[in-house]
Amino acid sequence: MTKYARRRALVAGEATGIGLAIAKRLVEGGAAVLLTARTAEERAHAIAELGSTARVVAPSAVEAALAGDGATDLGGVGLLFADAIPTARPLLPHVEDGGAIVLTAPTPCHDAVRAFAAELAFRGIRVNAVAPGCIEAPGSGAVPLPPLGRLGAAEEVARAALFLATEATFTTGARLPVDGGLGRP
């Protein structure tokens, strides 16, 4: 599948769960992917899951990887997936004009997403967020189920994030709940 061919993406802030699911879908679709992982164990796991088509680095090595340290020259990225605004902000110089940023943690409030989107609109960068809730995680205990009657999967959040990044081309400042109906008004 080449759905994301010729796209360059950075997935920063979380290399397990949702971040890894996003990276997997991007790699499967032919994108060049740089994923950050905090620990050596997380990096080894991500490399095993993604294979040699993605690059997995420590957060401190992102600058070198994006600058083209000889191993892979990703240059600027068109798609940035970050867990939160403070993770995304230092990476802004590497996001190409006309690119997309999707925040993936459940915490960004709608006003913060809209303000970040307004800040980057002059560069044509769309900023949106998924707001995951009731997502199945290894080792998590029993939790009350949302109205849909089941826990969600990281893969389901990844699909929503990729939709916002690649298909929703006239959408910015949106916060999309991916929570099985838990956050409904």
Side-chain angles (χ1 to χ4, degrees):
M1 181 204 293
T2 59
K3 184 174 186 172
Y4 306 118
R6 292 183 300 281
R7 293 191 187 247
R8 293 183 313 272
L10 170 57
V11 182
E14 191 221 334
T16 60
I18 295 166
L20 184 58
I22 291 169
K24 280 182 183 179
R25 289 192 67 85
L26 286 164
V27 165
E28 290 167 358
V33 177
L34 178 63
L35 173 69
T36 65
R38 289 183 180 96
T39 67
E41 182 180 320
E42 284 179 353
R43 287 190 292 279
H45 175 72
I47 289 167
E49 291 285 322
L50 299 172
S52 62
T53 56
R55 182 141 183 231
V56 182
V57 299
S60 61
V62 169
E63 292 289 331
L66 291 172
D69 63 2
T72 303
D73 183 8
L74 279 173
V77 293
L79 305 174
L80 170 61
F81 299 88
D83 58 355
I85 293 172
T87 303
R89 191 166 295 285
L91 300 169
L92 291 178
H94 301 289
V95 179
E96 296 172 343
D97 289 355
I101 297 172
V102 178
L103 305 171
T104 60
T107 54
C109 73
H110 199 163
D111 289 341
V113 174
R114 279 189 274 184
F116 199 36
E119 178 184 329
L120 296 173
F122 80 98
R123 291 182 52 197
I125 297 173
R126 295 176 300 103
V127 177
N128 294 294
V130 290
C134 293
I135 303 303
E136 203 167 3
S140 63
V143 296
L145 295 177
L148 280 182
R150 66 175 179 83
L151 295 177
E155 171 67 21
E156 291 171 303
V157 180
R159 286 195 304 264
L162 285 162
F163 167 76
L164 288 171
T166 63
E167 302 295 326
T169 57
F170 196 60
T171 303
T172 192
R175 185 175 180 268
L176 177 64
V178 185
D179 62 7
L182 188 67
R184 68 171 192 243

